[in-house]
Amino acid sequence: MRIGLMLTFIVLQVITTGCWGHREIEDQSVYIGLGLDVGSPSKFEQEANEQGGHYPKMNTVTVTVQIAPAGSSQKQGGQGSPSSGSQGGSYQNQQLTGDSILQVFRQFALRNEPPLVGLHLKVVVVSSELAKQYGMGQIFDSIFRDNDIRESCLVMISHGKASEVLNSQHPGEIPAFRLRDAHRNRYRNQKILPPVTLVMLENNVRSKSSFMLQNIVSAEGEQYLSGAAIIKGETNKWVGELSEAEVEGLSWITEKKLGGVVKTYTIDGRAITYEIKNASAKVVPIVSGDDISFQIKISSEGRLIEDWSQPDITPQQTTVLQKLEEKFEEQARKQLGQALYKLQNVYHTDAAGFGEQIRISHPKVWKKVKDNWDDIFSHVPISYDIKMTIIDYGSSKE
């Protein structure tokens, strides 16, 4: 019996599979950030072309890859390579231009040993200029099909060049990681959109649904989340932007857990600020025959956290509190109204998910209108009521 068990154990040890073909991550060219811009060959490419380093292609898209941690190619070439955008050796940016993203990636194999590995890609940034010219389905076609890239990868839009967003002036900082983590501050500021992953993007593209992507601007080597890019479902192209204030207003109905502030001004121009502690919103679709409308009800409790008005005013007075609440409500309605006006009258696009409410509550109606929903949405009446209650004044002793 014991001999049989020993033989079985030996056989299992021999046939048990292991990681025979593993490769150390330090020896990989792992790219964690990807930037896509309108095609414009880099200085490196121009010099290489002059020496015969070219192949048949058009300059449709410039691909920027952010490589980290340093692999063997970086150890050999160091930071002095023509396309390096790294600080302190924490990452390296490389660029190539072509008319096929997959072919461009294969061209990187001529520059890097080992070739690029996309298993740890964290964020894809697309410039608004590229998204104006080509649909997201076209731009992301090869990325959607790539089994190496995880569906949890985030997608964002840059107001300027995507390659600039993937740069940093802070030693040791890796821009792709910073962009990946930026959405975690949503509980502090309602100007930050919920993250859009690669799988969410593909679902929107396939269903031809309009949606928003986080917009990023770049200044002095730093990234700044500012507003939202609007992608129209019919074309999957960039059609415009919402400002920070408009995203702030729209967040009342797009965010499940809202955090941040509402700031307004007194008659004499003094700032007063309301800190949101909790909020709830209900979007009710109303269908009567062929007529569709929406009713939005929003309620919030918060604190009067800052008051630059006259010092002799006591905020605890009921009449004063009511007036302050009314001013905060008026500001929230203004911001929400501006955002809805832009979506309906400027972009003619439902990027806020109103159609989803119809689909859930009235599936039969949705089947009739879904193919032309953006146009229908542009004429749909939307009413909204906002109630804000000041429940405390922070740690003030007044």
Side-chain angles (χ1 to χ4, degrees), residues 81-112:
S81 60
S83 59
S84 177
S86 58
Q87 277 284 340
S90 57
Y91 70 90
Q92 184 187 59
N93 287 351
Q94 292 188 2
Q95 287 184 350
L96 286 177
T97 303
D99 49 14
S100 163
I101 291 177
L102 178 61
Q103 188 178 40
V104 169
F105 271 99
R106 295 296 184 262
Q107 288 296 114
F108 277 114
L110 303 180
R111 298 181 60 181
N112 296 283

Side-chain angles (χ1 to χ4, degrees), residues 176-220:
F177 289 155
R178 183 181 183 279
L179 292 173
R180 177 201 61 183
D181 296 337
H183 72 275
R184 295 178 182 176
N185 290 330
R186 283 162 50 221
Y187 75 101
R188 304 286 288 181
N189 195 318
Q190 68 267 40
K191 297 175 184 178
I192 303 175
L193 291 179
V196 176
T197 62
L198 197 61
V199 67
M200 294 166 65
L201 175 70
E202 184 172 13
N203 289 339
N204 286 326
V205 168
R206 304 304 181 204
S207 64
K208 292 190 176 295
S209 300
S210 298
F211 59 97
M212 295 184 291
L213 287 173
Q214 181 67 60
N215 194 56
I216 317 168
V217 298
S218 178
E220 297 295 323

Side-chain angles (χ1 to χ4, degrees), residues 55-125:
Y55 64 97
K57 64 180 176 64
M58 294 184 290
N59 295 322
T60 303
V61 56
T62 292
V63 178
T64 302
V65 291
Q66 186 160 101
I67 303 172
S72 58
S73 61
Q74 289 168 288
K75 292 174 183 176
Q76 296 167 8
Q79 212 171 303
S81 60
S83 59
S84 177
S86 58
Q87 277 284 340
S90 57
Y91 70 90
Q92 184 187 59
N93 287 351
Q94 292 188 2
Q95 287 184 350
L96 286 177
T97 303
D99 49 14
S100 163
I101 291 177
L102 178 61
Q103 188 178 40
V104 169
F105 271 99
R106 295 296 184 262
Q107 288 296 114
F108 277 114
L110 303 180
R111 298 181 60 181
N112 296 283
E113 204 299 307
L116 296 176
V117 176
L119 291 170
H120 298 281
L121 180 62
K122 306 302 181 186
V123 61
V124 180
V125 181

Side-chain angles (χ1 to χ4, degrees), residues 7-23:
L7 290 173
T8 302
F9 178 76
I10 293 171
V11 170
L12 287 174
Q13 287 288 92
V14 172
I15 66 174
T16 299
T17 58
C19 193
W20 300 103
H22 80 282
R23 301 177 71 181

Side-chain angles (χ1 to χ4, degrees), residues 30 77 126 151 166 177 180 216 226 256 281 314 330 342 344 363 367 374 381 392:
V30 179
V126 182
E151 295 181 331
L166 292 176
F177 289 155
R180 177 201 61 183
I216 317 168
S226 180
K256 293 182 179 180
T314 304
E330 180 184 356
K342 258 193 177 180
Q344 289 189 292
K367 287 183 179 180
D374 276 343
D392 65 58

